[in-house]
Amino acid sequence: MSLFITFEGGEGCGKSTQSKLLYQRLRRLALPALLIHEPGVTTLGKKITRLLKWSQDITITPLAELLLFNVSRAQLVAEVIQPNLKKNTIVICDRYADSTMAYQGFGRGLDLSIVKNANDIATQGIIPDLTLLMDISVEEGLKRKQNKKIDRFEAENLKFHGKVREGYLALAKAEPQRWVVVDAAKNRKDIAEIIWQKVSKILSG
């Protein structure tokens, strides 16, 4: 069966770690699975990532951010996500359209309807079957990023990151049938088991 699972959350929430652990568990069970992340993966996406996350010599407006993320997303959907779902692969994506709602919509303050319309065009109607929100306090998440090179988004102030977190929680509340909120302050093993219980239930169903 095809299954589209996304991981979301603020900085330092551990979503990349947990997405890898889930992927590895599926592979150990010999299930066809693919792990990808936004906005990179495709050749175009990697170039856009460098602009969005690491550019120091240019100013990128919130609207330009929205469009650039969705240019990358449109390519990812057409080149990777859609073909693999058609092959009945379990696709795990570290960030997807909900990140843009949280960061550019709630965080940057863009009109949410504009953000949603842009996302809808890029995703071509492909919505995750399950979205796992790794929720953690802003302070704890950013603390985990200490002593690491930080990108444009990680460098934003606490108010911005607070809005992003509030946005994620609002999105999860609006679609409880799709979202699962996970306490990302728990230890890695416990979090992985919580996630596996949810995923295995869907697979068995």
Side-chain angles (χ1 to χ4, degrees), residues 10-81:
E11 307 305 328
C13 68
K15 59 181 179 45
S16 298
T17 296
Q18 291 299 328
S19 61
K20 288 176 185 175
L21 290 174
L22 175 59
Y23 169 75
Q24 291 165 357
R25 191 161 190 171
L26 291 168
R27 295 297 293 172
R28 286 197 299 270
L29 293 171
L31 292 169
L34 175 69
L35 175 60
I36 56 177
H37 62 86
E38 280 205 350
V41 180
T42 66
T43 301
L44 177 61
K46 290 174 183 176
K47 292 180 182 296
I48 291 175
T49 297
R50 287 196 290 271
L51 275 173
L52 283 168
K53 299 182 76 172
W54 303 110
S55 58
Q56 302 291 329
D57 56 343
I58 59 173
T59 299
I60 303 176
T61 68
L63 183 59
E65 275 185 3
L66 168 66
L67 297 175
L68 283 169
F69 272 115
N70 274 301
V71 166
S72 175
R73 183 168 297 128
Q75 187 71 21
L76 182 67
V77 167
E79 188 177 318
V80 181
I81 296 175

Side-chain angles (χ1 to χ4, degrees), residues 15-200:
K15 59 181 179 45
S16 298
T17 296
Q18 291 299 328
S19 61
K20 288 176 185 175
L21 290 174
L22 175 59
Y23 169 75
Q24 291 165 357
R25 191 161 190 171
L26 291 168
R27 295 297 293 172
R28 286 197 299 270
L29 293 171
L31 292 169
L34 175 69
L35 175 60
I36 56 177
H37 62 86
E38 280 205 350
V41 180
T42 66
T43 301
L44 177 61
K46 290 174 183 176
K47 292 180 182 296
I48 291 175
T49 297
R50 287 196 290 271
L51 275 173
L52 283 168
K53 299 182 76 172
W54 303 110
S55 58
Q56 302 291 329
D57 56 343
I58 59 173
T59 299
I60 303 176
T61 68
L63 183 59
E65 275 185 3
L66 168 66
L67 297 175
L68 283 169
F69 272 115
N70 274 301
V71 166
S72 175
R73 183 168 297 128
Q75 187 71 21
L76 182 67
V77 167
E79 188 177 318
V80 181
I81 296 175
Q82 212 167 40
N84 278 281
L85 289 176
K86 287 180 179 178
K87 293 189 294 185
N88 290 324
T89 300
I90 301 169
V91 178
I92 303 166
C93 195
D94 180 350
R95 294 203 183 282
Y96 190 55
D98 294 303
S99 280
T100 306
M101 289 291 289
Y103 279 78
Q104 280 66 52
F106 288 90
R108 298 293 193 210
L110 288 178
D111 187 301
L112 295 180
S113 64
I114 292 175
V115 178
K116 184 179 184 304
N117 288 339
N119 286 351
D120 288 347
I121 293 170
T123 59
Q124 300 181 54
I126 296 179
I127 300 171
D129 299 292
L130 171 65
T131 298
L132 296 150
L133 173 58
M134 307 295 294
D135 182 51
I136 194 169
S137 72
V138 170
E139 292 78 8
E140 181 60 29
L142 292 175
K143 185 179 179 181
R144 293 178 178 183
K145 290 287 184 177
Q146 287 180 354
N147 303 319
K148 295 181 181 178
K149 185 179 179 182
I150 59 173
D151 62 33
R152 287 179 61 249
F153 297 98
E154 293 163 346
E156 288 288 347
N157 59 36
L158 289 177
K159 184 178 179 181
F160 171 82
H161 291 293
K163 289 179 180 178
V164 170
R165 185 187 183 198
E166 290 171 6
Y168 270 128
L169 292 171
L171 292 171
K173 185 177 181 180
E175 286 187 84
Q177 71 281 4
R178 173 165 72 90
W179 289 76
V180 172
V181 180
V182 180
D183 181 359
K186 293 178 179 290
N187 69 65
R188 184 183 299 185
K189 186 176 179 181
D190 288 345
I191 293 171
E193 193 56 38
I194 291 169
I195 291 169
W196 178 246
Q197 286 176 6
K198 183 63 180 180
V199 173
S200 61

